[in-house]
Amino acid sequence: MNKFKLNSYLYFLEYNEDVVCLNLLNKQIIILEGKKYNQLKQTKNNIDSLKEINPNLFSLLLKLEFIIKAEINEMDWINSDYNVEIFRNTSYRLTVLPTLNCNYRCWYCYETKDPKLMSKDVFQRIIKHINYKIDVDKVTKIDLDWFGGEPLIGFEKVVYPLSLKAKDICKKNKIGFTNQITTNGLLVNESMIDKFNCIKLNNFQITLDGNKYYHEKVKKGINTYQRTVNNINLLCSHIDNINLVLRINFTDQNLESSVDIIEDINKENRKKIEVSFQRVWQIKDNNQYYYNVDKIKAIFKAEGFKLSEYNIQLVQACYVDRLEQAIINYNGDVFKCTARDFLQENREGILDSEGFIDWDFSKQYKRFGKKRYENEMCLNCDLLPACYGPCSQKVLEINPDNFDKICNYNGLKLSIDEMLKRYYHEEII
């Protein structure tokens, strides 16, 4: 009887006379010459025999868990990793919306605007909630996350004082604290900078919609592009240990124009900025844009910006999928997903006067009551460990009969192929 087997979740890409091999279970990548890959293929049904044919290859594949003991059940492995990813994380991501008001009216924004600002009552409930999560749920870190609307509209009355309180509570309890914000960047000014440093607000995501012409066409504002770019430079020059993601929302029309942004970012600041290209999902036109995006990314990288060339940690659960996460709106309504309109009918809980979230457990049970991949399509999928099934928000909303509409397979396969090609070029060429 064989003692070993190939694990069931290996992915091979034949490329330039070599083969790039990805272990989807542990995310290890290796490159094999064609001859060695053929030896592996020839012995796949009796992998123990590879030890005699090529002992060095056998030893390497065993070490990297491409080869595993015959008695191992890969589904047990997947279930264990999933449970750790979703339920074991003791950091608490708390997203707070000071307001749903915004100084822009971008055509693709899905949110219903609301001019109201968070009241003192809800402010105090959030403070109690942070204390509750630390004292009762024993979380080991608070990841504070500001969203909106435009959160800097409420900077002085909400963002700054609540961040200060949260930071002090975490320091008192000797637990970790991080602070981040998603902002359009227009309202940043020099008077905020010292306060950003004081509250450890050093993680920013700021969006541009292409160059000056396209950005101001979306924002419908004169000089909004230059003011935003100036503020990006200001942040990079004055914020301690800054992590700034420059999100470029692109369409087939504005993609090429985004290279114009480069000259407006000071050279010394480019190494502090990670550029993230995100296609405007409402556009349903030409889908042959991957190559063009790669060309633009290469230009940004050559000019000193940070970009992720490949990512072997394929399974990165969306924050929504984790148990220790909540979004609190300015009025005390609680949600899980920021990619949905913050309407009362979409809420999943309410923050009560004692800082406790009264969850709608019918939604919670549907979201967390079973694994996202507990369906026939996912369980029979060769890419399961790279995906774990669709986003739990989509699972919550979709009719089970239409599950194929939210399947990630085609996009994921394309992403893996591109990742492995980039890995090959970085390691070999």
Side-chain angles (χ1 to χ4, degrees):
M1 181 178 292
N2 291 335
K3 294 181 180 180
F4 299 97
K5 65 179 180 179
L6 282 178
N7 96 52
S8 302
Y9 294 99
L10 302 178
Y11 190 94
F12 301 101
L13 178 69
E14 298 185 27
Y15 193 63
N16 282 3
E17 299 183 357
D18 293 315
V19 180
V20 191
C21 314
L22 169 63
N23 184 344
L24 292 169
L25 286 176
N26 64 11
K27 317 306 177 289
Q28 295 285 342
I29 302 178
I30 58 172
I31 299 170
L32 294 180
E33 299 171 350
K35 180 181 177 181
K36 292 180 179 178
Y37 177 62
N38 286 332
Q39 290 173 339
L40 180 61
K41 282 201 300 184
Q42 290 165 9
T43 58
K44 66 179 182 179
N45 295 323
N46 181 18
I47 203 65
D48 292 54
S49 64
L50 182 62
K51 190 186 297 185
E52 304 299 326
I53 298 172
N54 191 331
N56 290 334
L57 178 58
F58 181 91
S59 178
L60 174 65
L61 295 178
L62 183 64
K63 180 180 179 180
L64 298 179
E65 299 177 308
F66 285 70
I67 294 173
I68 58 178
K69 291 181 178 180
E71 67 265 23
I72 291 177
N73 184 328
E74 291 91 331
M75 190 53 64
D76 290 340
W77 186 328
I78 292 170
N79 289 337
S80 177
D81 283 353
Y82 178 88
N83 287 334
V84 169
E85 182 74 31
I86 304 304
F87 301 112
R88 183 68 179 85
N89 195 322
T90 57
S91 293
Y92 183 54
R93 175 164 173 158
L94 176 61
T95 301
V96 179
L97 284 61
T99 181
L100 288 180
N101 197 11
C102 187
N103 48 340
Y104 287 138
R105 293 294 184 271
C106 303
W107 67 266
Y108 52 70
C109 184
Y110 51 82
E111 293 177 10
T112 301
K113 302 296 182 288
D114 190 326
K116 299 185 184 68
L117 192 67
M118 181 179 291
S119 67
K120 291 182 179 179
D121 173 58
V122 175
F123 183 105
Q124 291 302 323
R125 283 191 251 168
I126 293 175
I127 298 301
K128 291 179 181 178
H129 178 65
I130 292 172
N131 278 305
Y132 176 89
K133 294 299 295 183
I134 296 171
D135 295 340
V136 179
D137 289 346
K138 306 299 181 184
V139 298
T140 59
K141 183 183 177 186
I142 298 293
D143 295 320
L144 193 55
D145 172 37
W146 297 99
F147 199 73
E150 171 47 53
L152 289 181
I153 289 175
F155 180 74
E156 292 295 340
K157 292 185 177 180
V158 183
V159 176
Y160 176 67
L162 200 153
S163 294
L164 203 58
K165 288 273 190 181
K167 187 189 79 166
D168 290 345
I169 291 169
C170 291
K171 182 178 180 180
K172 177 183 176 182
N173 286 276
K174 299 180 180 179
I175 70 167
F177 173 76
T178 62
N179 207 354
Q180 63 183 338
I181 189 168
T182 300
T183 170
N184 58 46
L186 189 67
L187 299 180
V188 172
N189 58 61
E190 291 189 18
S191 67
M192 290 181 179
I193 298 296
D194 287 341
K195 291 182 177 179
F196 286 159
N197 283 317
C198 181
I199 59 178
K200 296 178 69 173
L201 183 51
N202 62 348
N203 295 280
F204 297 82
Q205 177 175 288
I206 298 176
T207 299
L208 291 174
D209 294 274
N211 66 5
K212 176 179 171 65
Y213 170 78
Y214 284 103
H215 183 80
E216 295 187 353
K217 185 177 180 181
V218 171
K219 303 308 183 193
K220 295 182 172 59
I222 298 173
N223 292 328
T224 56
Y225 171 83
Q226 195 59 54
R227 288 166 61 191
T228 302
V229 168
N230 290 345
N231 287 339
I232 289 172
N233 283 313
L234 182 69
L235 289 167
C236 288
S237 300
H238 293 86
I239 297 296
D240 300 336
N241 303 314
I242 191 168
N243 296 299
L244 194 151
V245 175
L246 173 58
R247 173 174 172 143
I248 298 178
N249 285 344
F250 74 90
T251 65
D252 292 332
Q253 284 69 45
N254 73 358
L255 177 60
E256 296 286 345
S257 81
S258 63
V259 297
D260 297 343
I261 296 169
I262 295 172
E263 65 183 29
D264 295 321
I265 303 295
N266 298 340
K267 288 186 177 180
E268 63 271 20
N269 292 334
R270 295 174 189 176
K271 63 185 178 182
K272 302 176 184 179
I273 297 173
E274 178 180 342
V275 182
S276 174
F277 288 85
Q278 300 293 328
R279 185 166 178 80
V280 177
W281 61 267
Q282 290 93 336
I283 298 291
K284 302 297 183 183
D285 53 359
N286 179 11
N287 63 2
Q288 301 298 317
Y289 57 84
Y290 292 100
Y291 178 67
N292 289 334
V293 173
D294 281 347
K295 287 197 301 183
I296 302 299
K297 284 181 178 179
I299 296 171
F300 272 84
K301 184 181 180 182
E303 294 293 335
F305 292 87
K306 294 188 291 186
L307 289 116
S308 297
E309 285 304 304
Y310 62 91
N311 175 16
I312 62 173
Q313 297 298 322
L314 289 168
V315 180
Q316 292 184 321
C318 173
Y319 56 86
V320 175
D321 299 327
R322 294 193 175 103
L323 185 65
E324 290 295 354
Q325 176 269 341
I327 301 164
I328 301 179
N329 198 7
Y330 75 90
N331 61 359
D333 286 346
V334 180
F335 301 82
K336 288 288 289 181
C337 180
T338 57
R340 297 294 184 273
D341 202 353
F342 298 104
L343 301 174
Q344 191 173 79
E345 56 263 33
N346 292 335
R347 73 182 181 192
E348 299 195 30
I350 301 172
L351 184 66
D352 71 16
S353 60
E354 298 303 314
F356 179 78
I357 295 178
D358 182 12
W359 291 102
D360 179 341
F361 282 108
S362 64
K363 293 183 178 180
Q364 286 291 88
Y365 291 149
K366 190 171 182 181
R367 188 186 295 277
F368 294 112
K370 69 176 184 179
K371 298 175 177 64
R372 304 194 310 273
Y373 53 83
E374 288 185 353
N375 61 80
E376 186 175 357
M377 281 185 65
C378 289
L379 292 174
N380 291 322
C381 180
D382 57 330
L383 300 184
L384 175 58
C387 175
Y388 288 162
C391 161
S392 63
Q393 185 69 32
K394 294 178 181 177
V395 172
L396 192 71
E397 296 169 347
I398 198 72
N399 184 316
D401 295 335
N402 296 325
F403 189 84
D404 59 315
K405 293 183 179 179
I406 58 172
C407 175
N408 300 320
Y409 187 88
N410 290 330
L412 184 58
K413 188 176 187 304
L414 179 61
S415 297
I416 292 174
D417 284 348
E418 289 302 313
M419 178 196 73
L420 295 183
K421 288 176 185 177
R422 289 171 184 168
Y423 177 86
Y424 182 90
H425 280 270
E426 185 157 304
E427 295 295 317
I428 300 296
I429 298 178

